[in-house]
């Protein structure tokens, strides 16, 4: 009888690899958080768009062999020079590509040599700049007054919570009504990177404002976003950045040090956290009645 030769399955196509990377590897095997998966997705969207512009190929027609060190380096330069991304952001995008290439190396042995060359593209070294911070006067000017409109009161609570908790934007926009404890030891439960959870104490002034906000929005349920947009959905990162920028512009009319200054949500995080405040800062907080 003739010897039967075992059939060898052809390697997965590039679109199938990308789909398996996200659905099977990131979600099912590694069980990464939706925020982390979204970060990988954004990196791939940028990279595939750049590859299409430079190679003239749609993602559906690409091959692993198209991803060369030259293309990767050109993409990274594009991020820095044209999109004005920081070196840190550049390295995060590269880390996402590396994770995919390592995954792909287990599914397409014919591309091992190309993948090995791609993985040799190094991370870029950089010096950490001194963190920018806001003074108490600047922060209070940015928070401003609650105002009379629904939007102004929401923004006042948003900025106050950022100041009180030192939370990341991703943590703030995902706060639900049920995450806020107002009785007894008032606190807010935050869900951060890597599914880490923590409870942050709330100042008396913040508790008072949350109560007023909930009275203004009696239809909010426990699963409702505490800080919704006009459609009742959770705010996005862009929403928060835009509202903060408008608040800074308004505050700069009375605080000259804010004129022309870019204040990001992360800048507020550099203010000393409540639990590690110096006695001098705690005294300042006490003056606020919190």
């Amino acid at each position: 009888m003739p010897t039967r030769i075992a059939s060898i399955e052809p390697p997965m196509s590039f679109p199938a690899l990308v789909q398996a990377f996200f659905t099977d590897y990131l979600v099912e095997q590694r069980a990464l958080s939706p925020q982390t998966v979204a970060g990988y997705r954004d990196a791939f969207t940028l990279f595939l768009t750049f590859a299409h512009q430079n190679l003239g190929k749609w993602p559906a027609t690409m091959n692993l062999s198209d991803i060369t060190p030259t293309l990767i380096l050109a993409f990274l330069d594009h991020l820095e020079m044209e999109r004005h991304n920081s070196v840190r952001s550049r390295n995060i995008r590269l880390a996402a590509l590396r994770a995919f290439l390592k995954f792909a190396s287990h599914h397409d042995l014919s591309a091992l040599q190309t993948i090995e060359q791609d993985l040799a593209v190094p991370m870029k070294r950089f010096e950490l700049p001194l963190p920018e911070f806001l003074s108490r006067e600047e922060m209070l000017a940015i928070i401003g007054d609650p105002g009379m409109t629904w939007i102004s009161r929401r923004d006042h609570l948003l900025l106050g919570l950022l100041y009180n908790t030192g939370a990341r934007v991703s943590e703030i926009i995902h706060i639900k009504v049920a995450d806020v404890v107002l009785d007894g030891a008032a606190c807010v439960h935050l869900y951060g990177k890597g599914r880490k959870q923590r409870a942050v104490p709330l100042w008396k002034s913040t508790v008072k404002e949350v109560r007023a906000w909930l009275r203004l929005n009696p239809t909010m349920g426990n699963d409702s976003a505490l800080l919704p947009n006009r459609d009742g959905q959770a705010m996005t990162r862009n929403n928060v950045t835009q509202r903060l920028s408008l608040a800074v512009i308004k505050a700069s009319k009375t605080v000259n040090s804010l004129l022309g200054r870019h204040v990001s949500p992360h800048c507020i995080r550099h203010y000393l956290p409540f639990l590690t405040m110096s006695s001098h800062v705690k005294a300042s907080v006490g003056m606020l009645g919190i």
Side-chain angles (χ1 to χ4, degrees):
M1 294 180 63
T3 303
R4 176 176 294 180
I5 301 176
S7 61
I8 301 177
E9 294 185 3
M12 297 174 66
S13 66
F14 180 75
L17 275 173
V18 174
Q19 182 176 3
F21 174 68
F22 279 92
T23 58
D24 298 339
Y25 181 65
L26 296 183
V27 177
E28 296 295 333
Q29 296 180 32
R30 295 194 59 191
L32 298 182
S33 68
Q35 292 85 355
T36 302
V37 174
Y40 279 90
R41 178 203 62 207
D42 293 344
F44 261 79
T45 300
L46 290 171
F47 177 71
L48 293 176
T49 300
F50 179 82
H52 169 64
Q53 294 170 347
N54 285 264
L55 301 178
K57 287 188 174 184
W58 293 101
T61 62
M62 283 184 62
N63 299 303
L64 275 176
S65 58
D66 294 320
I67 304 179
T68 63
T70 301
L71 180 65
I72 293 175
L73 288 169
F75 169 64
L76 298 176
D77 288 341
H78 163 74
L79 293 178
E80 286 192 78
M81 303 303 177
E82 298 183 33
R83 293 185 60 86
H84 306 292
N85 286 179
S86 66
V87 176
R88 185 192 295 272
S89 296
R90 170 198 187 276
N91 288 342
I92 290 174
R93 305 303 189 196
L94 177 56
L97 290 177
R98 280 183 168 183
F100 168 73
L101 291 168
K102 290 178 181 178
F103 168 81
S105 67
H106 296 286
H107 294 80
D108 189 349
L109 298 180
S110 64
L112 281 178
Q113 184 175 1
T114 301
I115 292 174
E116 183 179 8
Q117 294 171 349
D118 293 338
L119 292 175
V121 175
M123 294 286 185
K124 193 170 186 178
R125 297 177 63 87
F126 64 98
E127 293 183 1
L128 288 174
L130 290 174
E132 186 179 4
F133 63 92
L134 296 166
S135 68
R136 173 176 174 271
E137 178 189 18
E138 291 169 339
M139 192 63 235
L140 294 182
I142 291 173
I143 294 175
D145 297 320
M148 299 299 295
T149 67
W150 185 89
I151 291 292
S152 65
R153 295 182 69 172
R154 182 206 61 188
D155 291 352
H156 190 264
L157 177 58
L158 164 68
L159 299 173
L161 278 172
L162 285 170
Y163 181 49
N164 183 161
T165 63
R168 297 179 177 88
V169 173
S170 60
E171 295 172 327
I172 285 290
I173 62 179
H174 287 105
I175 294 176
K176 296 183 178 180
V177 172
D179 296 326
V180 184
V181 178
L182 300 177
D183 297 320
C187 66
V188 58
H189 295 277
L190 301 176
Y191 303 87
K193 290 183 177 181
R195 294 191 174 87
K196 292 180 181 178
Q197 302 180 23
R198 68 184 191 279
V200 180
L202 292 178
W203 300 331
K204 292 180 182 179
S205 58
T206 307
V207 172
K208 181 179 179 181
E209 188 158 0
V210 172
R211 290 187 188 278
W213 176 246
L214 294 178
R215 286 196 298 271
L216 183 65
N217 298 275
T219 60
M220 282 186 175
N222 286 337
D223 291 331
S224 300
L226 180 68
L227 300 165
N229 58 22
R230 295 177 184 273
D231 298 325
Q233 303 300 314
M235 298 178 72
T236 65
R237 290 174 179 270
N238 286 338
N239 289 154
V240 175
T241 300
Q242 291 170 358
R243 302 313 299 178
L244 175 58
S245 295
L246 290 174
V248 172
I249 293 173
K250 182 178 179 181
S252 66
K253 296 177 181 178
T254 55
V255 180
N256 292 334
S257 59
L258 291 172
L259 282 171
R261 187 172 172 184
H262 173 70
V263 178
S264 68
H266 194 76
C267 183
I268 300 176
R269 279 176 52 79
H270 292 154
Y271 202 89
L272 290 176
F274 180 75
L275 296 180
T276 57
M277 284 182 179
S278 65
S279 58
H280 172 73
V281 177
K282 286 182 179 178
S284 298
V285 169
M287 293 174 63
L288 294 174
I290 53 183

